Amino acid sequence: MTLASDTALDAPSAASGTPARRRRRSAGGLPGSRVGYVYVLPFFLVFAAFSVYPWLDTAWVSLHDVRLSTYHHQTWIGLANYRDLFTNPYFWNAFRNTFTIGVISTIPQLVMALGIAHLLNYRLRGRTFFRVAILMPYATSLAAATVIFLELFDTRLGLVNWALHLVHLPTVDWQGSKWPAQVAVSTIITWRWTGYNALIYLAGMQAIDPSLYDAAAVDGASRWRQFVHITIPGLRPTILFTIVVSTIGAAQIFGEPLLYHNGKADGGTQGQYQTLGLLMYQQGWVNDRLGLASATAWTMFVIILLAVVANLLFARWRTVRELR
Amino acid sequence: MTVAETGQPRVRVKPPRDTGQHDAGWVTYLVISLVTLGSVFPLYYTIVMASHTNAEMSSANPPWVPSTSLFSNIKAALAIAPLNKGLLNSLVVSSVVTLGTVALCTLAGFAFAKLRFRGSNLLLAICIGTMMVPMQMGVIPLYMLMARLGLAGHLSAVILPTLVTAFGVFFMRQYISSAVPDELIEAAYIDGAGPFRVFWSVVVPAVRPAMAVLAMLTFLMSWNDFFWPIIVLSSQNPTVQVSFQSLATGYAPQQSIIMAGTIYGTVPVLVVFALLGRQIVGGIMQGAVKG
């Protein structure tokens, strides 16, 4: 979860003798330690057996017609699963929902986290208490949080509708209708992750050189201008990092919509909050179409890759534009 | 011999400024208090719902303070869902995963940080790259693999794939790079220690704080994991997260009973979190700007 990872990756391992004053961290250590391979072996063994092999096999399965019961009798059908997928309205529905739920849950979450981090950066009494309290949702599991919010958003008995009724607003069908249900599902995600991201931003803010603020204050820059011109640029790598991580997370949303419909994998009565992750589960474990589910999994991976690359390109483009 | 005694460590980790520029005004306190309320209120209200009867909860004026029906509701919840078995299973899974992850990731992190071997940078890059791949990518063959090994439905099917994580390797590598000066390692080496002896007697004592942070984060992640357990475990032998599903899907689900079960399954980890919250906050913030 670090940002300063590049230092390691672009530092060539200095295998040249022993210079008296090494400048680079990574040049130290024990020379010629073949035993290093042994120490990293457990990770790569687990990784090979439980990640690489399944990923490749998923690609293989996605080109076949496969059932759970007859897993060893796979019928080669080429790209038919992908064709089925891309011509299937359920796929496009899940694709759109994943995108909208992703946007509704990520953007407000990160904006709020930034604001909260800014406030937590002031000199506060009871600092630790506030930090632990806003991290409480992160410690609450996805399953528990979804069950809790399902009750709060209950259309008949939920607290949310009771409050709406209290202030004479029309109550909302938080399960059956499309956008309210997506907002409710997104609320669960936002509730769980805002505090966590606020702490990540806070750590980034505390790493900004304080003399920059002092200089800006001397020049008469207001608090707001300091925030816009020092804090935000200083946080840029952190912000990019949280956006990338949130994008990867949002593309895989699965548990919240599953439990929001009491464990049914259809994503609501009309599939109004069906996501790609949930669709894949439904195809594989409810409809017994493992080939199709595998095709969905690979498609999700490509979507994630494209989304991450788009994020990185956008960040670079911003940087280049500002340098002009 | 501590890190502090060894001349100048190459990397001076600056302690983060723990105070902002200015004292907080009352507006800041107000907003932060509201945010805190929003974070904690759903959990508080869960206790309220869990400690009333269903009839009390569905009255026109819902109650705001806990009442006395909590234990009867929990009893009813335990009759519906195997929560005790779930808690026990979760404890076993999370403990084993945490022990394995901390031990194996510290070892691998040490190799990446301090040992020179051909291709180590490439291997590290591969390791970091894997963090981008979604769990969904491999879940079908993984399920089949576990079924073929006869492990489907067993806790080991949940434990094995997360026994050592890319995040953990990377986290420990970053910490060991900056917290253990090379002079210390060289000194031990000149004294005739082998790599493992260096690891055990020099590195491990120096990185205990990071191991503790990794342990806490791993335990929490493992405890709260949902996707893979729900696929590979049956509702008869669940982790606590999987057993929550039996609550909501039971016959004629009742709000109070569902909430009582949720509280029962969540309180252990929240209590631990409240006790260690400070360290976990520190760990997350440290992990964000290491190196």
Side-chain angles (χ1 to χ4, degrees):
Chain A
M1 286 280 174
T2 30
L3 307 169
S5 55
D6 336 353
T7 48
L9 296 178
D10 55 24
S13 48
S16 55
T18 48
R21 287 203 314 273
R22 282 177 317 269
R23 307 290 297 274
R24 303 201 92 129
R25 258 192 286 165
S26 58
L30 305 169
S33 308
R34 290 243 172 73
V35 73
Y37 294 115
V38 180
Y39 292 177
V40 299
L41 189 65
F43 170 77
F44 283 97
L45 275 181
V46 168
F47 172 64
F50 302 119
S51 297
V52 179
Y53 154 71
W55 294 341
L56 297 176
D57 201 33
T58 301
W60 181 246
V61 170
S62 77
L63 303 172
H64 293 76
D65 184 27
V66 186
R67 309 278 149 164
L68 269 175
S69 47
T70 57
Y71 192 71
H72 300 297
H73 301 284
Q74 308 182 347
T75 324
W76 172 269
I77 53 171
L79 294 173
N81 279 325
Y82 291 91
R83 201 185 54 230
D84 284 0
L85 192 66
F86 297 141
T87 53
N88 189 328
Y90 287 102
F91 168 78
W92 293 108
N93 173 56
F95 180 81
R96 279 191 304 269
N97 289 345
T98 305
F99 181 79
T100 49
I101 291 175
V103 168
I104 304 170
S105 64
T106 301
I107 293 177
Q109 176 198 128
L110 293 182
V111 171
M112 283 195 300
L114 195 60
I116 294 166
H118 180 67
L119 295 178
L120 284 173
N121 205 15
Y122 283 114
R123 238 172 265 152
L124 280 167
R125 283 166 193 279
R127 211 176 48 225
T128 307
F129 166 77
F130 285 125
R131 287 180 192 177
V132 172
I134 65 161
L135 201 60
M136 272 283 183
Y138 166 78
T140 311
S141 72
L142 174 161
T146 307
V147 174
I148 291 168
F149 274 82
L150 184 55
E151 298 300 341
L152 293 176
F153 280 112
D154 189 282
T155 303
R156 268 187 327 113
L157 302 170
L159 194 69
V160 177
N161 270 354
W162 177 83
L164 287 174
H165 184 74
L166 193 70
V167 292
H168 301 294
L169 286 169
T171 56
V172 176
D173 179 2
W174 294 104
Q175 276 81 41
S177 51
K178 180 170 179 171
W179 293 112
Q182 289 204 4
V183 167
V185 169
S186 303
T187 304
I188 305 166
I189 300 162
T190 305
W191 180 74
R192 278 191 69 219
W193 291 102
T194 303
Y196 177 84
N197 281 314
L199 287 181
I200 301 271
Y201 287 151
L202 179 60
M205 284 176 187
Q206 294 185 342
I208 297 174
D209 185 356
S211 64
L212 290 174
Y213 290 101
D214 299 340
V218 169
D219 289 344
S222 66
R223 293 267 178 95
W224 172 247
R225 290 202 51 144
Q226 289 179 30
F227 180 73
V228 172
H229 293 286
I230 299 171
T231 309
I232 301 275
L235 276 182
R236 188 152 292 162
T238 317
I239 291 172
L240 178 65
F241 167 79
T242 53
I243 290 175
V244 168
V245 171
S246 302
T247 305
I248 295 172
Q252 300 175 55
I253 291 168
F254 156 81
E256 291 90 349
L258 175 77
L259 288 173
Y260 198 74
H261 202 200
N262 299 327
K264 293 190 199 67
D266 54 4
T269 40
Q270 290 104 44
Q272 66 271 34
Y273 45 89
Q274 168 81 300
T275 57
L276 286 171
L278 188 55
L279 178 71
M280 185 220 135
Y281 177 81
Q282 187 185 23
Q283 289 163 339
W285 276 269
V286 180
N287 303 342
D288 199 7
R289 294 279 310 272
L290 293 184
L292 192 61
S294 299
T296 309
W298 263 96
T299 307
M300 281 174 68
F301 178 58
V302 172
I303 291 170
I304 289 176
L305 267 183
L306 291 175
V308 169
V309 168
N311 275 328
L312 296 175
L313 284 178
F314 180 71
R316 281 199 63 160
W317 172 77
R318 289 268 328 236
T319 319
V320 168
R321 208 186 51 168
E322 274 171 16
L323 289 176
R324 280 193 191 137
Chain B
M1 177 159 179
T2 61
V3 178
E5 294 165 26
T6 59
Q8 316 96 336
R10 186 151 301 115
V11 182
R12 296 232 312 282
V13 183
K14 223 175 55 177
R17 289 179 307 123
D18 244 0
T19 50
Q21 296 285 293
H22 313 280
D23 284 324
W26 65 271
V27 178
T28 304
Y29 278 108
L30 181 72
V31 177
I32 286 286
S33 301
L34 285 175
V35 170
T36 305
L37 193 68
S39 299
V40 179
F41 179 76
L43 294 169
Y44 168 78
Y45 198 69
T46 305
I47 298 173
V48 174
M49 287 193 272
S51 59
H52 284 82
T53 62
N54 240 33
E56 286 164 349
M57 284 313 302
S58 45
S59 67
N61 285 314
W64 294 100
V65 285
S67 176
T68 52
S69 311
L70 183 62
F71 289 101
S72 58
N73 284 338
I74 286 178
K75 207 172 277 177
L78 289 175
I80 300 172
L83 290 166
N84 280 326
K85 194 164 178 55
L87 281 171
L88 194 66
N89 282 344
S90 281
L91 189 65
V92 170
V93 168
S94 301
S95 304
V96 175
V97 165
T98 302
L99 283 174
T101 297
V102 171
L104 297 173
C105 291
T106 307
L107 201 58
F110 162 67
F112 279 132
K114 297 293 176 190
L115 298 182
R116 269 189 267 146
F117 52 102
R118 202 179 288 275
S120 65
N121 283 337
L122 176 69
L123 289 176
L124 182 65
I126 291 172
C127 174
I128 293 167
T130 62
M131 289 196 237
M132 252 183 51
V133 183
M135 184 74 193
Q136 275 96 343
M137 273 288 290
V139 79
I140 291 167
L142 193 57
Y143 177 79
M144 289 301 155
L145 179 70
M146 291 301 175
R148 226 175 314 162
L149 295 171
L151 296 177
H154 284 258
L155 296 185
S156 43
V158 180
I159 292 169
L160 283 172
T162 49
L163 206 50
V164 48
T165 57
F167 164 71
V169 172
F170 184 59
F171 180 86
M172 288 316 291
R173 184 207 159 273
Q174 295 303 94
Y175 193 86
I176 293 171
S177 292
S178 62
V180 184
D182 290 337
E183 288 85 349
L184 200 59
I185 298 213
E186 276 153 26
Y189 199 55
I190 289 164
D191 289 345
F196 191 76
R197 185 68 208 277
V198 170
F199 171 75
W200 190 249
S201 315
V202 178
V203 175
V204 168
V207 298
R208 265 203 202 114
M211 288 166 82
V213 167
L214 180 62
M216 287 186 292
L217 293 180
T218 305
F219 193 91
L220 205 57
M221 265 192 269
S222 177
W223 182 274
N224 289 343
D225 192 19
F226 182 75
F227 180 59
W228 176 234
I230 200 144
I231 284 176
V232 81
L233 295 178
S234 66
S235 52
Q236 282 78 46
N237 188 31
T239 60
V240 72
Q241 308 306 334
V242 175
S243 68
F244 283 149
Q245 209 193 0
S246 316
L247 273 181
T249 52
Y251 175 70
Q254 291 196 14
Q255 200 181 41
S256 305
I257 292 169
I258 293 173
M259 289 296 109
T262 310
I263 278 290
Y264 186 80
T266 306
V267 154
V269 85
L270 285 183
V271 167
V272 171
F273 180 79
L275 293 174
L276 298 173
R278 223 189 141 135
Q279 283 77 6
I280 293 176
V281 167
I284 288 173
M285 287 178 62
Q286 224 177 41
V289 287
K290 268 245 79 73

